[in-house]
């Protein structure tokens, strides 16, 4: 397994491999890998001749006062997991090469970036689409893998790829959860013991919404009212947003149907966590 820490070396490797007739699967990450990332690597390994993992804590997708400076990192553990997953190249570009002095170009998707996380974190998706575009240009993958946990991010990336005719297939894979239901996230490492316990309100809210829909309650206002009461009974939790939206447009819905996705973002102490699920999916196997 190669570890490449220069944009030029990554581009040369990719060009040579593609000229030799090999195709590349790509998993972009910010590192501090967990089983959710490993599930992406496992699927990507099977999808192409070669597998590239990028680890880059992208400064442009963090707002002022967010956790860029404290974002967890463990390159030794990440490279160990990458090797086990059969990664061919770990790409760890320095920020100064990704955004050299004078850098002033941005990729921006309108519309679906203006709601949910886009409303709470202005500029976040511009940073994401810009860096993903740059990584696609450097690595030139045939296929790239993303987790469904960042549901809106995946929708934004699909929109960008379609709108800009990027020659990359985008694959989204299911959320990987801890045994008690908490969606895996690098940010879970910030949680103190009591916060970790209260973080279960996210997956419990999903199970509650799915149960309500299964029982015939399809009115979004009523479902969200009940969820809000459950979540707000957790004293360390503050809701950022709690919405049921159409899976494609991300527009809020009045009535639940098979396109409805419950999207949640909460602060638990200083940690912001997100989760989501289709409301009409079979009731999640999440302890209520
Ligand atoms: O999902 C993430 O980890 C990041 O947003 C991504 C896609 C690697 C871009 O920095």
């Amino acid at each position: 397994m190669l570890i490449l820490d220069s944009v030029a070396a990554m581009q040369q490797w990719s060009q040579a491999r593609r000229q030799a007739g090999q195709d590349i699967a790509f998993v972009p990450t910010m590192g501090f890998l967990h089983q959710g990332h490993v599930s992406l690597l496992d699927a990507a390994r099977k999808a192409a001749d070669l597998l590239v993992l990028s680890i880059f804590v992208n400064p442009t997708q963090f707002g002022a006062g967010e956790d860029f400076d404290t974002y967890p990192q463990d390159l030794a553990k990440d490279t160990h997991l990458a090797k086990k997953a059969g990664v061919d190249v770990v790409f760890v570009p320095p920020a100064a090469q990704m955004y050299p002095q004078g850098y002033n170009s941005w990729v921006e998707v309108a519309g679906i970036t203006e709601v949910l996380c886009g409303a709470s974190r202005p500029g976040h998706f511009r940073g994401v689409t810009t860096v993903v575009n740059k990584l696609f240009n450097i690595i030139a993958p045939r296929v790239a893998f993303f987790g469904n946990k960042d549901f809106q991010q995946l929708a934004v990336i699909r929109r960008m790829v379609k709108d800009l005719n990027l020659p990359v297939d985008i694959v989204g894979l299911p959320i990987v959860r801890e045994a008690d239901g908490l969606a895996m996230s690098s940010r879970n490492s910030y949680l103190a013991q009591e916060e970790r316990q209260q973080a279960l309100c996210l997956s419990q809210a999903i199970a509650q919404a799915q149960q309500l829909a299964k029982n015939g309650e399809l009115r979004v206002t009523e479902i969200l009212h009940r969820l809000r009461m459950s979540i707000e009974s957790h004293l360390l939790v503050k809701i950022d947003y709690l919405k049921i939206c159409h899976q494609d447009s991300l527009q809020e819905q009045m009535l639940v149907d098979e396109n409805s996705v419950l999207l949640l973002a909460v602060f638990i102490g200083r940690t912001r966590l997100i989760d989501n699920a289709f409301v009409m999916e079979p009731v999640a196997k999440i302890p209520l």
Side-chain angles (χ1 to χ4, degrees):
M1 185 176 79
L2 285 173
I3 300 180
L4 298 180
D5 63 1
S6 107
V7 169
M10 183 70 246
Q11 265 174 324
Q12 273 161 23
W13 182 90
S14 165
Q15 201 179 6
R17 298 325 314 155
R18 283 179 295 114
Q19 272 167 3
Q22 294 181 292
D23 64 349
I24 298 171
F26 174 44
V27 178
T29 77
M30 299 205 297
F32 210 68
L33 303 185
H34 49 67
Q35 284 308 306
H37 296 114
V38 172
S39 76
L40 302 181
L41 292 173
D42 288 344
R45 179 62 281 173
K46 298 184 195 114
D49 300 320
L50 298 162
L51 174 54
V52 175
L53 160 74
S54 67
I55 297 178
F56 179 60
V57 183
N58 173 36
T60 64
Q61 69 187 75
F62 290 80
E66 292 188 348
D67 56 344
F68 174 66
D69 290 330
T70 54
Y71 198 82
Q73 296 187 51
D74 188 344
L75 190 58
K77 185 175 165 223
D78 289 352
T79 49
H80 173 75
L81 287 174
K83 202 164 183 181
K84 247 176 75 182
V87 169
D88 294 292
V89 174
V90 183
F91 178 46
V92 272
Q97 284 189 27
M98 291 296 276
Y99 300 108
Q101 234 188 349
Y103 185 90
N104 208 6
S105 299
W106 304 98
V107 177
E108 198 154 2
V109 173
I112 55 168
T113 55
E114 285 149 29
V115 294
L116 304 166
C117 288
S120 306
R121 304 180 68 190
H124 167 67
F125 285 117
R126 183 178 88 145
V128 170
T129 43
T130 298
V131 81
V132 169
N133 221 290
K134 285 172 66 69
L135 291 167
F136 284 177
N137 287 335
I138 295 164
I139 295 160
R142 187 189 54 73
V143 56
F145 289 73
F146 294 83
N148 281 345
K149 186 169 77 65
D150 294 285
F151 190 92
Q152 186 178 15
Q153 169 173 279
L154 184 53
V156 169
I157 285 164
R158 285 191 199 283
R159 182 81 261 161
M160 170 184 81
V161 163
K162 194 163 185 229
D163 288 353
L164 301 182
N165 309 99
L166 303 182
V168 187
D169 290 336
I170 302 298
V171 180
L173 290 184
I175 295 175
V176 178
R177 296 181 181 278
E178 304 285 356
D180 61 5
L182 181 65
M184 289 197 186
S185 163
S186 306
R187 290 189 168 101
N188 291 348
S189 64
Y190 295 145
L191 300 170
Q193 204 180 349
E194 183 56 23
E195 293 174 336
R196 170 68 182 74
Q197 195 53 35
Q198 299 217 351
L200 294 179
C201 70
L202 288 161
S203 50
Q204 286 167 352
I206 288 172
Q208 189 182 358
Q210 290 173 334
Q211 188 66 58
L212 284 165
K214 190 171 176 222
N215 294 347
E217 178 54 82
L218 300 180
R219 293 168 300 172
V220 166
T221 343
E222 184 57 28
I223 296 175
L224 294 183
H225 171 66
R226 304 262 204 105
L227 265 47
R228 190 170 281 279
M229 289 208 305
S230 305
I231 295 171
E232 284 176 348
S233 70
H234 297 77
L235 294 179
L236 301 179
V237 181
K238 194 169 149 283
I239 296 173
D240 179 6
Y241 63 73
L242 171 66
K243 296 196 189 279
I244 292 178
C245 300
H246 189 285
Q247 61 167 326
D248 298 323
S249 65
L250 299 186
Q251 291 299 306
E252 291 178 50
Q253 295 182 300
M254 306 276 284
L255 285 176
V256 163
D257 61 26
E258 61 286 350
N259 284 305
S260 303
V261 190
L262 171 67
L263 294 136
L264 311 97
V266 301
F267 285 98
I268 303 179
R270 292 170 58 86
T271 306
R272 186 174 180 277
L273 296 181
I274 56 173
D275 204 344
N276 69 80
F278 281 90
V279 183
M280 292 193 73
E281 241 159 38
V283 176
K285 285 200 195 73
I286 290 169
L288 267 171

